[in-house]
Amino acid sequence: MQPSRLFSALSILMFSVSAHAAEVSVAVAANFTGPMEKIAPAFETATGHKLKIAYGTVGKFYAQVKNGAPFEVLVSADDETPKRLEKDGLALPETRFTYAIGKLMLWSATPGLVDDQGQVLKRGDFKRLAVANPKTAAYGSAAVAVMKNLGVLETLTPRLVTGENITQAYQFAATGNAELGFVALSQIYKDGKYSTGSYWAVPIELYPQIRQDAVILAKGKDNPAADALMAYLKSDAARKVIRAHGYEL
Amino acid sequence: MLLSEGDLQAIVLTLELASITTAILLVLGTPIAWWLARTKSWWKGPLGAVVALPLVLPPSVLGFYLLLTMGPHGPVGQFTQWLGLGTLPFTFWGLVVGSVFYSLPFMVQPVQNAFESIGDRPLEAAATLRASPLDTFFSVVLPLALPGFITASILTFAHTVGEFGVVLMIGGNIPGETRVASVQIYDHVEALDYGQAHRLSAVMLVFSFLVLLALYAWRPNPKKV
Protein backbone atom coordinates (compact mmCIF):
# COMPACT_ATOMS: atom_id res chain seq x y z
CA MET A 1 0.00 0.00 0.00
CA GLN A 2 1.22 3.51 -0.77
CA PRO A 3 1.96 5.63 2.27
CA SER A 4 -0.61 8.22 1.26
CA ARG A 5 -3.28 5.58 0.83
CA LEU A 6 -2.29 4.02 4.12
CA PHE A 7 -2.61 7.40 5.72
CA SER A 8 -6.05 8.05 4.30
CA ALA A 9 -7.13 4.58 5.35
CA LEU A 10 -5.93 5.39 8.83
CA SER A 11 -7.70 8.73 8.84
CA ILE A 12 -10.93 7.05 7.90
CA LEU A 13 -10.40 4.48 10.60
CA MET A 14 -9.66 7.15 13.15
CA PHE A 15 -12.55 9.32 12.06
CA SER A 16 -14.95 6.43 12.27
CA VAL A 17 -13.88 5.46 15.76
CA SER A 18 -13.63 8.95 17.14
CA ALA A 19 -17.38 9.15 16.94
CA HIS A 20 -17.45 6.83 19.95
CA ALA A 21 -14.72 8.01 22.33
CA ALA A 22 -13.58 5.13 24.50
CA GLU A 23 -10.93 4.48 27.10
CA VAL A 24 -8.15 1.93 26.77
CA SER A 25 -5.85 0.61 29.45
CA VAL A 26 -2.28 0.16 28.19
CA ALA A 27 0.74 -1.56 29.71
CA VAL A 28 3.90 0.05 28.35
CA ALA A 29 7.47 -1.22 28.68
CA ALA A 30 9.59 1.07 30.85
CA ASN A 31 12.10 1.76 28.05
CA PHE A 32 9.34 3.24 25.89
CA THR A 33 8.22 5.76 28.52
CA GLY A 34 9.74 8.80 26.77
CA PRO A 35 8.14 8.36 23.34
CA MET A 36 4.86 7.15 24.85
CA GLU A 37 4.54 10.34 26.86
CA LYS A 38 4.66 12.26 23.60
CA ILE A 39 2.48 9.85 21.64
CA ALA A 40 -0.26 9.63 24.26
CA PRO A 41 -1.51 13.24 24.20
CA ALA A 42 -1.22 13.38 20.41
CA PHE A 43 -3.26 10.19 20.16
CA GLU A 44 -5.89 11.52 22.52
CA THR A 45 -6.19 14.77 20.58
CA ALA A 46 -6.33 13.00 17.24
CA THR A 47 -8.87 10.37 18.18
CA GLY A 48 -10.76 11.63 21.21
CA HIS A 49 -10.04 8.36 22.99
CA LYS A 50 -8.51 8.27 26.46
CA LEU A 51 -5.44 6.28 27.47
CA LYS A 52 -4.78 4.83 30.90
CA ILE A 53 -1.07 3.98 30.88
CA ALA A 54 0.94 1.82 33.26
CA TYR A 55 4.73 1.76 32.81
CA GLY A 56 6.73 -1.20 34.06
CA THR A 57 8.76 -4.27 33.30
CA VAL A 58 7.32 -6.72 30.87
CA GLY A 59 7.80 -9.77 33.10
CA LYS A 60 5.65 -8.13 35.72
CA PHE A 61 2.99 -7.24 33.17
CA TYR A 62 2.99 -10.84 31.99
CA ALA A 63 2.37 -12.12 35.52
CA GLN A 64 -0.34 -9.51 36.03
CA VAL A 65 -2.12 -10.20 32.75
CA LYS A 66 -2.06 -13.94 33.49
CA ASN A 67 -3.75 -13.14 36.76
CA GLY A 68 -6.52 -11.02 35.37
CA ALA A 69 -5.01 -7.52 35.15
CA PRO A 70 -7.35 -5.22 33.21
CA PHE A 71 -4.79 -4.24 30.53
CA GLU A 72 -6.14 -4.13 26.99
CA VAL A 73 -2.98 -3.39 25.02
CA LEU A 74 0.61 -4.41 25.74
CA VAL A 75 3.37 -2.24 24.30
CA SER A 76 6.16 -4.67 25.03
CA ALA A 77 9.95 -4.37 25.21
CA ASP A 78 10.39 -7.67 23.36
CA ASP A 79 8.57 -9.99 21.00
CA GLU A 80 8.71 -13.02 23.31
CA THR A 81 6.17 -11.84 25.85
CA PRO A 82 3.45 -10.94 23.34
CA LYS A 83 3.98 -14.32 21.66
CA ARG A 84 3.73 -16.10 24.97
CA LEU A 85 0.52 -14.27 25.79
CA GLU A 86 -0.86 -15.33 22.41
CA LYS A 87 -0.10 -18.95 23.25
CA ASP A 88 -1.86 -18.52 26.56
CA GLY A 89 -4.90 -17.22 24.69
CA LEU A 90 -4.53 -13.84 26.39
CA ALA A 91 -3.57 -11.78 23.32
CA LEU A 92 -4.96 -11.50 19.79
CA PRO A 93 -2.26 -12.89 17.44
CA GLU A 94 -3.38 -11.08 14.30
CA THR A 95 -2.93 -7.70 16.01
CA ARG A 96 0.76 -8.11 16.92
CA PHE A 97 3.32 -5.96 15.09
CA THR A 98 6.80 -4.53 15.64
CA TYR A 99 6.46 -0.87 16.53
CA ALA A 100 10.14 -0.26 17.20
CA ILE A 101 13.54 -1.94 17.05
CA GLY A 102 15.78 -1.19 19.98
CA LYS A 103 19.43 -0.22 19.55
CA LEU A 104 22.03 -1.16 22.10
CA MET A 105 24.71 1.33 23.16
CA LEU A 106 27.70 1.09 25.41
CA TRP A 107 27.64 4.35 27.30
CA SER A 108 29.50 6.15 30.05
CA ALA A 109 28.61 9.42 31.75
CA THR A 110 32.36 10.15 31.68
CA PRO A 111 33.52 11.75 28.42
CA GLY A 112 36.32 9.83 26.72
CA LEU A 113 35.94 6.58 28.63
CA VAL A 114 34.08 4.68 25.91
CA ASP A 115 35.81 4.73 22.52
CA ASP A 116 33.91 4.37 19.26
CA GLN A 117 35.20 0.81 18.73
CA GLY A 118 34.20 -0.53 22.13
CA GLN A 119 37.84 -1.37 22.89
CA VAL A 120 37.18 -0.31 26.46
CA LEU A 121 35.56 -3.70 27.03
CA LYS A 122 38.84 -5.42 26.15
CA ARG A 123 41.03 -2.96 28.05
CA GLY A 124 38.79 -3.41 31.06
CA ASP A 125 39.98 -0.27 32.86
CA PHE A 126 36.80 0.06 34.88
CA LYS A 127 35.34 -1.54 37.97
CA ARG A 128 31.68 -1.89 37.14
CA LEU A 129 29.62 -2.37 34.04
CA ALA A 130 25.84 -2.01 34.27
CA VAL A 131 23.54 -4.24 32.24
CA ALA A 132 19.84 -4.99 32.31
CA ASN A 133 18.94 -8.38 33.72
CA PRO A 134 19.72 -10.80 30.87
CA LYS A 135 17.19 -13.29 32.20
CA THR A 136 14.31 -10.90 31.87
CA ALA A 137 15.19 -7.99 29.59
CA ALA A 138 15.88 -8.13 25.85
CA TYR A 139 18.50 -5.39 26.21
CA GLY A 140 20.18 -7.46 28.92
CA SER A 141 20.44 -10.61 26.84
CA ALA A 142 21.63 -8.48 23.90
CA ALA A 143 24.42 -7.05 26.08
CA VAL A 144 25.49 -10.53 27.12
CA ALA A 145 25.51 -11.63 23.47
CA VAL A 146 27.81 -8.70 22.60
CA MET A 147 30.27 -9.58 25.34
CA LYS A 148 30.18 -13.23 24.33
CA ASN A 149 30.84 -12.32 20.70
CA LEU A 150 33.76 -10.13 21.71
CA GLY A 151 35.13 -12.92 23.91
CA VAL A 152 35.08 -10.77 27.05
CA LEU A 153 32.07 -12.20 28.85
CA GLU A 154 34.06 -14.37 31.25
CA THR A 155 36.51 -11.68 32.29
CA LEU A 156 33.76 -9.10 32.70
CA THR A 157 31.19 -11.24 34.52
CA PRO A 158 32.54 -10.43 38.01
CA ARG A 159 32.20 -6.73 37.22
CA LEU A 160 28.61 -6.80 36.02
CA VAL A 161 25.96 -5.04 38.03
CA THR A 162 22.48 -5.97 36.95
CA GLY A 163 19.59 -3.56 36.82
CA GLU A 164 16.06 -4.84 37.12
CA ASN A 165 15.48 -3.45 33.64
CA ILE A 166 17.24 -1.20 31.13
CA THR A 167 16.04 1.89 32.98
CA GLN A 168 17.88 0.85 36.10
CA ALA A 169 20.99 -0.12 34.12
CA TYR A 170 20.99 3.42 32.74
CA GLN A 171 20.45 4.86 36.22
CA PHE A 172 23.48 2.95 37.57
CA ALA A 173 25.64 4.37 34.77
CA ALA A 174 24.13 7.86 34.88
CA THR A 175 24.81 8.25 38.62
CA GLY A 176 28.39 7.09 38.05
CA ASN A 177 27.93 4.11 40.36
CA ALA A 178 28.92 1.99 37.37
CA GLU A 179 31.54 3.64 35.15
CA LEU A 180 29.77 2.42 32.04
CA GLY A 181 26.78 0.41 31.01
CA PHE A 182 24.89 -1.18 28.16
CA VAL A 183 21.89 1.07 27.67
CA ALA A 184 19.24 1.70 25.04
CA LEU A 185 19.92 4.35 22.44
CA SER A 186 16.52 5.79 23.37
CA GLN A 187 17.91 6.64 26.80
CA ILE A 188 20.85 8.72 25.65
CA TYR A 189 19.47 10.15 22.44
CA LYS A 190 16.79 12.78 22.62
CA ASP A 191 15.52 15.08 19.91
CA GLY A 192 18.43 14.27 17.63
CA LYS A 193 21.14 14.83 20.23
CA TYR A 194 23.23 12.49 22.37
CA SER A 195 23.47 13.23 26.08
CA THR A 196 26.89 14.06 27.49
CA GLY A 197 29.44 11.35 28.10
CA SER A 198 30.94 8.85 25.71
CA TYR A 199 29.33 6.03 23.79
CA TRP A 200 29.78 3.21 21.32
CA ALA A 201 26.95 2.27 19.01
CA VAL A 202 27.20 -1.52 19.19
CA PRO A 203 27.19 -2.99 15.65
CA ILE A 204 23.92 -4.81 15.08
CA GLU A 205 25.72 -8.00 13.95
CA LEU A 206 26.87 -8.50 17.54
CA TYR A 207 23.47 -9.09 19.13
CA PRO A 208 20.06 -10.52 18.27
CA GLN A 209 17.63 -7.89 17.05
CA ILE A 210 15.62 -6.29 19.84
CA ARG A 211 12.15 -6.30 18.35
CA GLN A 212 9.61 -4.46 20.43
CA ASP A 213 6.11 -5.69 19.66
CA ALA A 214 2.71 -4.35 20.59
CA VAL A 215 -0.37 -6.53 20.79
CA ILE A 216 -4.02 -6.20 21.74
CA LEU A 217 -4.81 -8.31 24.78
CA ALA A 218 -7.91 -10.48 25.17
CA LYS A 219 -9.54 -7.84 27.39
CA GLY A 220 -9.12 -5.24 24.64
CA LYS A 221 -11.08 -7.22 22.08
CA ASP A 222 -13.82 -5.07 20.56
CA ASN A 223 -12.54 -1.91 22.23
CA PRO A 224 -12.36 0.65 19.42
CA ALA A 225 -9.79 2.67 21.35
CA ALA A 226 -7.43 -0.34 21.39
CA ASP A 227 -7.66 -0.68 17.60
CA ALA A 228 -7.20 3.05 17.21
CA LEU A 229 -4.07 3.00 19.37
CA MET A 230 -2.54 0.20 17.30
CA ALA A 231 -3.34 2.15 14.13
CA TYR A 232 -1.87 5.30 15.63
CA LEU A 233 1.38 3.53 16.58
CA LYS A 234 1.75 2.70 12.87
CA SER A 235 1.05 6.27 11.78
CA ASP A 236 3.72 8.60 10.42
CA ALA A 237 3.27 10.95 13.36
CA ALA A 238 4.01 8.19 15.87
CA ARG A 239 6.87 6.73 13.81
CA LYS A 240 8.50 10.15 13.72
CA VAL A 241 8.41 10.37 17.51
CA ILE A 242 9.67 6.79 17.86
CA ARG A 243 12.61 7.48 15.51
CA ALA A 244 13.42 10.74 17.25
CA HIS A 245 13.86 8.73 20.44
CA GLY A 246 16.52 6.54 18.96
CA TYR A 247 14.61 3.49 17.80
CA GLU A 248 14.88 1.93 14.39
CA LEU A 249 11.79 1.00 12.46
CA MET B 1 16.68 -30.84 45.99
CA LEU B 2 13.99 -28.38 46.91
CA LEU B 3 16.05 -25.25 46.38
CA SER B 4 18.65 -24.49 43.75
CA GLU B 5 22.19 -23.53 44.64
CA GLY B 6 21.46 -19.91 43.77
CA ASP B 7 18.44 -19.91 46.07
CA LEU B 8 20.46 -21.33 48.95
CA GLN B 9 23.16 -18.76 48.36
CA ALA B 10 20.53 -16.03 48.44
CA ILE B 11 19.12 -17.35 51.71
CA VAL B 12 22.54 -17.55 53.36
CA LEU B 13 23.31 -14.03 52.18
CA THR B 14 19.98 -12.77 53.53
CA LEU B 15 20.64 -14.31 56.95
CA GLU B 16 24.15 -12.83 57.01
CA LEU B 17 22.82 -9.41 56.13
CA ALA B 18 20.09 -9.58 58.77
CA SER B 19 22.47 -10.84 61.49
CA ILE B 20 25.12 -8.20 60.86
CA THR B 21 22.52 -5.45 60.63
CA THR B 22 20.97 -6.55 63.91
CA ALA B 23 24.36 -6.65 65.64
CA ILE B 24 25.30 -3.18 64.38
CA LEU B 25 21.93 -1.76 65.37
CA LEU B 26 22.20 -3.21 68.88
CA VAL B 27 25.38 -1.19 69.31
CA LEU B 28 24.18 1.96 67.52
CA GLY B 29 20.52 1.85 68.52
CA THR B 30 20.94 1.35 72.26
CA PRO B 31 22.55 4.75 73.02
CA ILE B 32 20.05 6.48 70.75
CA ALA B 33 17.17 4.74 72.51
CA TRP B 34 18.64 5.57 75.91
CA TRP B 35 19.01 9.22 75.03
CA LEU B 36 15.49 9.38 73.59
CA ALA B 37 14.09 7.68 76.69
CA ARG B 38 15.86 9.90 79.23
CA THR B 39 16.27 13.30 77.61
CA LYS B 40 14.19 16.36 78.32
CA SER B 41 15.92 18.17 75.49
CA TRP B 42 14.04 19.99 72.77
CA TRP B 43 15.83 17.73 70.29
CA LYS B 44 13.91 14.66 71.41
CA GLY B 45 11.08 15.43 68.97
CA PRO B 46 13.22 15.98 65.84
CA LEU B 47 15.55 13.03 66.54
CA GLY B 48 12.60 10.74 67.31
CA ALA B 49 11.04 11.78 64.02
CA VAL B 50 14.25 11.07 62.10
CA VAL B 51 14.50 7.62 63.67
CA ALA B 52 10.91 6.86 62.67
CA LEU B 53 11.31 8.16 59.10
CA PRO B 54 12.06 4.75 57.51
CA LEU B 55 8.66 3.56 58.75
CA VAL B 56 6.98 6.13 56.56
CA LEU B 57 9.34 6.63 53.63
CA PRO B 58 8.95 4.35 50.63
CA PRO B 59 12.08 2.17 50.40
CA SER B 60 12.54 3.58 46.91
CA VAL B 61 13.15 7.04 48.39
CA LEU B 62 15.69 5.66 50.83
CA GLY B 63 17.34 3.59 48.10
CA PHE B 64 17.44 6.51 45.69
CA TYR B 65 19.13 8.83 48.17
CA LEU B 66 21.54 6.11 49.25
CA LEU B 67 22.47 5.51 45.62
CA LEU B 68 23.18 9.21 45.13
CA THR B 69 24.97 9.89 48.41
CA MET B 70 27.06 6.70 48.37
CA GLY B 71 27.84 7.02 44.65
CA PRO B 72 31.17 8.37 43.40
CA HIS B 73 29.86 11.95 43.28
CA GLY B 74 27.93 11.85 46.56
CA PRO B 75 29.36 13.03 49.90
CA VAL B 76 29.46 9.55 51.44
CA GLY B 77 30.93 8.12 48.26
CA GLN B 78 33.66 10.79 48.21
CA PHE B 79 34.46 9.98 51.82
CA THR B 80 34.64 6.19 51.30
CA GLN B 81 36.83 6.75 48.24
CA TRP B 82 39.07 9.05 50.25
CA LEU B 83 39.38 6.23 52.80
CA GLY B 84 40.41 3.97 49.93
CA LEU B 85 37.33 1.78 50.30
CA GLY B 86 35.82 2.54 46.91
CA THR B 87 32.08 3.13 46.74
CA LEU B 88 29.41 1.24 48.62
CA PRO B 89 26.60 0.58 46.11
CA PHE B 90 26.67 -2.95 44.66
CA THR B 91 28.56 -4.29 47.67
CA PHE B 92 27.45 -6.35 50.64
CA TRP B 93 28.55 -3.59 53.01
CA GLY B 94 26.53 -1.09 51.03
CA LEU B 95 23.49 -3.23 51.74
CA VAL B 96 24.45 -3.34 55.43
CA VAL B 97 24.54 0.47 55.53
CA GLY B 98 21.18 0.64 53.76
CA SER B 99 19.67 -1.95 56.10
CA VAL B 100 20.91 -0.14 59.19
CA PHE B 101 18.96 2.95 58.10
CA TYR B 102 16.01 0.92 56.93
CA SER B 103 15.64 -1.08 60.17
CA LEU B 104 16.66 1.65 62.62
CA PRO B 105 13.18 2.30 64.08
CA PHE B 106 12.60 -1.41 64.61
CA MET B 107 15.56 -1.49 66.97
CA VAL B 108 15.28 1.93 68.62
CA GLN B 109 11.57 2.12 69.36
CA PRO B 110 11.08 -1.14 71.35
CA VAL B 111 14.31 -0.54 73.29
CA GLN B 112 13.28 3.06 73.98
CA ASN B 113 9.90 1.86 75.26
CA ALA B 114 11.63 -0.66 77.51
CA PHE B 115 13.95 2.03 78.90
CA GLU B 116 11.04 4.39 79.49
CA SER B 117 9.03 1.79 81.35
CA ILE B 118 11.87 1.27 83.83
CA GLY B 119 11.32 4.75 85.22
CA ASP B 120 13.55 6.71 87.58
CA ARG B 121 13.23 4.69 90.78
CA PRO B 122 15.53 1.73 90.01
CA LEU B 123 18.15 4.19 88.79
CA GLU B 124 17.87 6.31 91.92
CA ALA B 125 18.04 3.19 94.08
CA ALA B 126 21.19 2.11 92.27
CA ALA B 127 22.67 5.57 92.67
CA THR B 128 22.07 5.54 96.46
CA LEU B 129 23.99 2.24 96.50
CA ARG B 130 26.84 4.13 94.84
CA ALA B 131 26.67 2.29 91.59
CA SER B 132 28.40 4.18 88.79
CA PRO B 133 26.18 5.13 85.82
CA LEU B 134 27.87 2.51 83.70
CA ASP B 135 27.45 -0.13 86.39
CA THR B 136 23.81 0.88 86.78
CA PHE B 137 23.28 0.51 83.07
CA PHE B 138 24.73 -2.98 82.88
CA SER B 139 23.47 -4.44 86.14
CA VAL B 140 20.09 -2.70 86.45
CA VAL B 141 18.89 -1.28 83.16
CA LEU B 142 19.94 -4.05 80.80
CA PRO B 143 18.32 -6.92 82.74
CA LEU B 144 15.11 -4.93 83.17
CA ALA B 145 15.05 -3.96 79.48
CA LEU B 146 16.00 -7.39 78.21
CA PRO B 147 12.53 -8.25 76.85
CA GLY B 148 12.65 -4.98 74.88
CA PHE B 149 16.03 -5.89 73.45
CA ILE B 150 14.85 -9.33 72.39
CA THR B 151 11.72 -7.95 70.76
CA ALA B 152 13.76 -5.26 69.01
CA SER B 153 16.37 -7.74 67.77
CA ILE B 154 13.80 -10.13 66.35
CA LEU B 155 11.88 -7.32 64.66
CA THR B 156 15.09 -5.83 63.23
CA PHE B 157 16.25 -9.19 61.96
CA ALA B 158 12.87 -10.03 60.44
CA HIS B 159 12.44 -6.62 58.88
CA THR B 160 15.88 -6.81 57.26
CA VAL B 161 15.05 -10.26 55.86
CA GLY B 162 11.95 -8.67 54.33
CA GLU B 163 13.88 -5.80 52.75
CA PHE B 164 13.40 -5.41 49.02
CA GLY B 165 13.09 -1.90 47.69
CA VAL B 166 16.36 -0.58 49.08
CA VAL B 167 18.28 -3.64 47.91
CA LEU B 168 16.78 -3.33 44.46
CA MET B 169 17.91 0.28 44.22
CA ILE B 170 21.49 -0.09 45.45
CA GLY B 171 22.24 -3.80 45.10
CA GLY B 172 22.92 -4.45 41.44
CA ASN B 173 21.77 -8.06 41.85
CA ILE B 174 25.22 -9.66 42.22
CA PRO B 175 25.14 -13.34 43.20
CA GLY B 176 26.69 -14.00 46.60
CA GLU B 177 27.17 -10.29 47.20
CA THR B 178 23.86 -8.44 46.94
CA ARG B 179 21.35 -10.94 45.55
CA VAL B 180 19.26 -11.58 48.66
CA ALA B 181 16.23 -13.86 48.82
CA SER B 182 13.60 -11.18 48.14
CA VAL B 183 15.44 -10.07 44.97
CA GLN B 184 15.95 -13.67 43.91
CA ILE B 185 12.20 -14.29 44.17
CA TYR B 186 11.47 -11.15 42.18
CA ASP B 187 13.92 -12.36 39.53
CA HIS B 188 12.25 -15.75 39.33
CA VAL B 189 8.86 -14.09 38.86
CA GLU B 190 10.22 -11.69 36.24
CA ALA B 191 11.82 -14.60 34.40
CA LEU B 192 8.46 -16.42 34.53
CA ASP B 193 10.11 -19.16 36.56
CA TYR B 194 7.12 -19.57 38.82
CA GLY B 195 8.12 -23.00 40.17
CA GLN B 196 11.33 -21.66 41.71
CA ALA B 197 9.57 -18.50 42.85
CA HIS B 198 7.00 -20.65 44.66
CA ARG B 199 9.58 -22.77 46.44
CA LEU B 200 11.68 -19.89 47.67
CA SER B 201 8.58 -17.87 48.59
CA ALA B 202 7.23 -20.78 50.61
CA VAL B 203 10.52 -21.01 52.50
CA MET B 204 10.36 -17.28 53.26
CA LEU B 205 6.74 -17.53 54.34
CA VAL B 206 7.39 -20.39 56.75
CA PHE B 207 10.52 -18.72 58.07
CA SER B 208 8.77 -15.41 58.71
CA PHE B 209 5.89 -17.13 60.44
CA LEU B 210 8.24 -19.07 62.70
CA VAL B 211 10.15 -15.93 63.63
CA LEU B 212 6.98 -14.10 64.57
CA LEU B 213 5.62 -17.17 66.34
CA ALA B 214 8.79 -17.30 68.42
CA LEU B 215 8.37 -13.62 69.21
CA TYR B 216 4.76 -13.88 70.32
CA ALA B 217 5.01 -17.26 72.05
CA TRP B 218 8.13 -16.20 73.94
CA ARG B 219 6.75 -12.91 75.16
CA PRO B 220 5.91 -13.42 78.85
CA ASN B 221 2.58 -12.46 80.30
CA PRO B 222 2.68 -8.65 80.06
CA LYS B 223 0.48 -8.17 83.15
CA LYS B 224 3.23 -9.40 85.44
CA VAL B 225 5.70 -6.72 84.36
Side-chain angles (χ1 to χ4, degrees):
Chain A
M1 199 190 282
Q2 301 255 315
S4 58
R5 284 181 58 196
L6 176 69
F7 187 72
S8 48
L10 285 177
S11 323
I12 291 162
L13 176 69
M14 279 169 195
F15 180 76
S16 61
V17 293
S18 65
H20 320 274
E23 191 177 70
V24 58
S25 178
V26 194
V28 178
N31 82 64
F32 200 62
T33 304
M36 199 64 200
E37 277 172 351
K38 288 203 179 132
I39 290 171
F43 167 78
E44 289 181 343
T45 317
T47 65
H49 295 306
K50 285 266 166 272
L51 292 179
K52 276 201 323 202
I53 303 178
Y55 296 102
T57 65
V58 168
K60 203 155 39 208
F61 285 141
Y62 177 80
Q64 290 170 347
V65 168
K66 278 211 79 153
N67 290 289
F71 298 122
E72 296 168 289
V73 172
L74 173 66
V75 179
S76 186
D78 61 358
D79 53 355
E80 289 294 313
T81 309
K83 280 182 197 157
R84 196 172 281 127
L85 284 167
E86 284 168 15
K87 261 193 221 137
D88 296 338
L90 292 167
L92 313 178
E94 69 280 9
T95 62
R96 181 166 57 84
F97 76 101
T98 303
Y99 67 91
I101 293 167
K103 289 193 75 180
L104 188 69
M105 307 291 284
L106 182 67
W107 177 74
S108 168
T110 314
L113 181 66
V114 178
D115 55 281
D116 57 9
Q117 301 290 321
Q119 290 298 320
V120 61
L121 291 176
K122 291 185 177 152
R123 284 201 311 277
D125 48 354
F126 54 87
K127 275 201 302 214
R128 292 199 176 95
L129 169 62
V131 293
N133 192 335
K135 262 166 53 185
T136 59
Y139 284 97
S141 47
V144 168
V146 170
M147 289 184 279
K148 204 178 275 171
N149 281 329
L150 294 175
V152 294
L153 182 59
E154 257 176 51
T155 51
L156 292 183
T157 296
R159 296 186 220 175
L160 295 185
V161 289
T162 312
E164 183 208 344
N165 52 37
I166 192 68
T167 310
Q168 210 189 10
Y170 170 76
Q171 175 197 321
F172 286 160
T175 55
N177 279 297
E179 290 98 321
L180 66 169
F182 280 104
V183 303
L185 174 59
S186 56
Q187 294 171 309
I188 58 165
Y189 182 82
K190 275 175 201 122
D191 305 319
K193 268 192 294 192
Y194 289 93
S195 40
T196 54
S198 50
Y199 60 87
W200 172 47
V202 182
I204 52 170
E205 313 84 73
L206 290 179
Y207 60 93
Q209 200 178 42
I210 304 167
R211 297 177 73 88
Q212 303 198 182
D213 283 7
V215 71
I216 297 184
L217 301 171
K219 295 217 165 153
K221 196 170 183 268
D222 303 327
N223 181 348
D227 294 328
L229 177 63
M230 297 300 265
Y232 192 82
L233 280 174
K234 294 172 189 163
S235 73
D236 286 344
R239 291 166 73 98
K240 209 174 139 197
V241 175
I242 294 170
R243 273 212 193 88
H245 277 83
Y247 295 94
E248 297 276 300
L249 274 173
Chain B
M1 186 70 198
L2 183 68
L3 293 171
S4 72
E5 202 176 309
D7 288 352
L8 281 176
Q9 191 183 40
I11 289 175
V12 170
L13 191 70
T14 307
L15 297 180
E16 275 175 13
L17 177 66
S19 312
I20 294 174
T21 302
T22 307
I24 292 178
L25 274 176
L26 270 173
V27 176
L28 281 182
T30 304
I32 298 176
W34 178 252
W35 188 84
L36 283 173
R38 306 293 306 173
T39 186
K40 306 233 160 24
S41 156
W42 178 86
W43 285 100
K44 179 175 176 163
L47 188 74
V50 169
V51 167
L53 262 184
L55 292 175
V56 183
L57 279 184
S60 47
V61 172
L62 199 55
F64 175 61
Y65 281 134
L66 284 171
L67 188 65
L68 291 185
T69 51
M70 304 199 305
H73 311 299
V76 177
Q78 303 256 328
F79 180 66
T80 52
Q81 282 172 308
W82 179 76
L83 290 175
L85 298 172
T87 52
L88 284 170
F90 318 129
T91 65
F92 178 75
W93 290 101
L95 290 196
V96 170
V97 172
S99 306
V100 163
F101 281 108
Y102 180 66
S103 295
L104 184 66
F106 290 82
M107 178 62 76
V108 170
Q109 293 190 343
V111 173
Q112 182 188 343
N113 289 339
F115 285 159
E116 279 170 352
S117 67
I118 292 172
D120 290 337
R121 293 194 57 190
L123 304 184
E124 286 162 0
T128 57
L129 296 170
R130 302 206 180 159
S132 71
L134 209 61
D135 190 14
T136 307
F137 184 79
F138 282 105
S139 42
V140 177
V141 174
L142 273 192
L144 284 173
L146 190 64
F149 275 101
I150 294 177
T151 306
S153 301
I154 294 177
L155 283 178
T156 301
F157 188 89
H159 190 241
T160 310
V161 168
E163 183 175 347
F164 174 67
V166 174
V167 179
L168 197 69
M169 293 291 275
I170 64 172
N173 204 350
I174 302 168
E177 177 90 21
T178 60
R179 186 182 290 166
V180 296
S182 57
V183 173
Q184 179 85 341
I185 292 171
Y186 183 77
D187 255 22
H188 286 325
V189 175
E190 285 276 297
L192 315 181
D193 199 344
Y194 293 171
Q196 293 219 60
H198 268 309
R199 285 192 288 276
L200 192 51
S201 299
V203 169
M204 294 294 281
L205 184 67
V206 171
F207 170 79
S208 309
F209 176 74
L210 289 179
V211 168
L212 292 177
L213 182 68
L215 177 66
Y216 289 115
W218 165 84
R219 184 174 282 178
N221 190 347
K223 279 171 203 149
K224 279 192 204 155
V225 175

